[in-house]
């Protein structure tokens, strides 16, 4: 469960803080599904994208260090659009900030590099901003969108 949970059902936004461990990604998804109150089919792209972003925060930032955390904000907007934001704890000690990007070409034999391409394909738009605590990745998702809508 989140370390702290804030939210106002009036505006449809919830925020949770989670330990920066890979075993917490499942809990982050469970928390998000309760927060967005959508059936499994509509929740699927939101939860898949959230899994990728939380995993990236833990893997590529100080969120994955001892006492690290991941901050997640999810807002259900009119039309059931979902605005998702994942904020990491910034760079690991002695390392530069890791900013997300989709590689121009992904090697077929690569074991990584597909995640943000998947985020891009499943979302209406995604972007990142610098945040005082680290990097914030934002994603706008239409859970009614068909995979054929591209």
């Amino acid at each position: 469960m989140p370390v702290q949970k804030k939210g106002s059902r009036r505006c449809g936004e919830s925020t949770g803080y989670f330990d920066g461990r890979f075993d917490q990604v499942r809990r982050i998804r469970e928390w998000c599904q309760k927060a967005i109150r959508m059936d499994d089919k509509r929740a699927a792209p939101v939860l898949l994208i959230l899994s990728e972003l939380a995993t990236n925060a833990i893997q590529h930032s100080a969120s994955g260090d001892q006492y690290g955390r991941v901050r997640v904000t999810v807002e259900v907007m009119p039309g059931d659009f979902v605005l998702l934001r994942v904020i990491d704890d910034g760079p690991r000690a002695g390392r530069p900030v890791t900013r997300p990007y989709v590689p121009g070409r992904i090697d077929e034999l690569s074991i990584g590099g597909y995640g943000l391409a998947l985020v891009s394909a499943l979302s209406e738009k995604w972007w990142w901003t610098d945040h005082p605590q680290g990097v914030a990745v934002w994603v706008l998702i239409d859970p009614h969108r068909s995979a054929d809508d591209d």
Side-chain angles (χ1 to χ4, degrees):
M1 301 315 303
V3 175
Q4 179 181 358
K5 179 180 175 183
K6 297 186 231 178
S8 168
R9 285 290 154 209
R10 194 171 28 120
C11 69
E13 180 178 298
S14 296
T15 299
Y17 296 83
F18 301 87
D19 292 337
R21 299 188 325 260
F22 291 113
D23 66 349
Q24 294 296 296
V25 175
R26 178 176 173 212
R27 287 192 169 152
I28 295 170
R29 283 192 311 265
E30 290 169 351
W31 168 83
C32 181
Q33 185 157 20
K34 287 178 186 173
I36 62 175
R37 299 179 184 181
M38 292 181 180
D39 62 47
D40 290 344
K41 183 177 179 180
R42 288 190 302 144
V46 177
L47 301 177
L48 184 60
I49 289 170
L50 178 57
S51 292
E52 176 60 25
L53 298 182
T55 300
N56 282 354
I58 294 165
Q59 185 174 356
H60 299 292
S61 77
S63 291
D65 292 347
Q66 187 175 20
Y67 309 115
R69 66 184 188 164
V70 176
R71 176 178 166 183
V72 178
T73 300
V74 62
E75 179 178 0
V76 179
M77 300 165 46
D80 285 341
F81 280 85
V82 175
L83 182 61
L84 181 64
R85 180 177 62 179
V86 176
I87 302 174
D88 65 33
D89 277 347
R92 292 201 161 119
R95 295 195 139 168
V97 174
T98 302
R99 293 190 173 89
Y101 72 96
V102 176
R105 181 179 178 283
I106 300 172
D107 183 359
E108 289 179 20
L109 300 177
S110 173
I111 59 170
Y114 293 97
L116 289 176
L118 184 63
V119 169
S120 183
L122 292 175
S123 66
E124 299 304 303
K125 177 180 174 110
W126 75 276
W127 65 101
W128 61 267
T129 58
D130 287 321
H131 188 274
Q133 294 158 303
V135 172
V137 180
W138 300 75
V139 185
L140 181 63
I141 306 159
D142 177 358
H144 298 288
R145 177 179 169 193
S146 167
D148 299 327
D149 287 350
D150 292 334

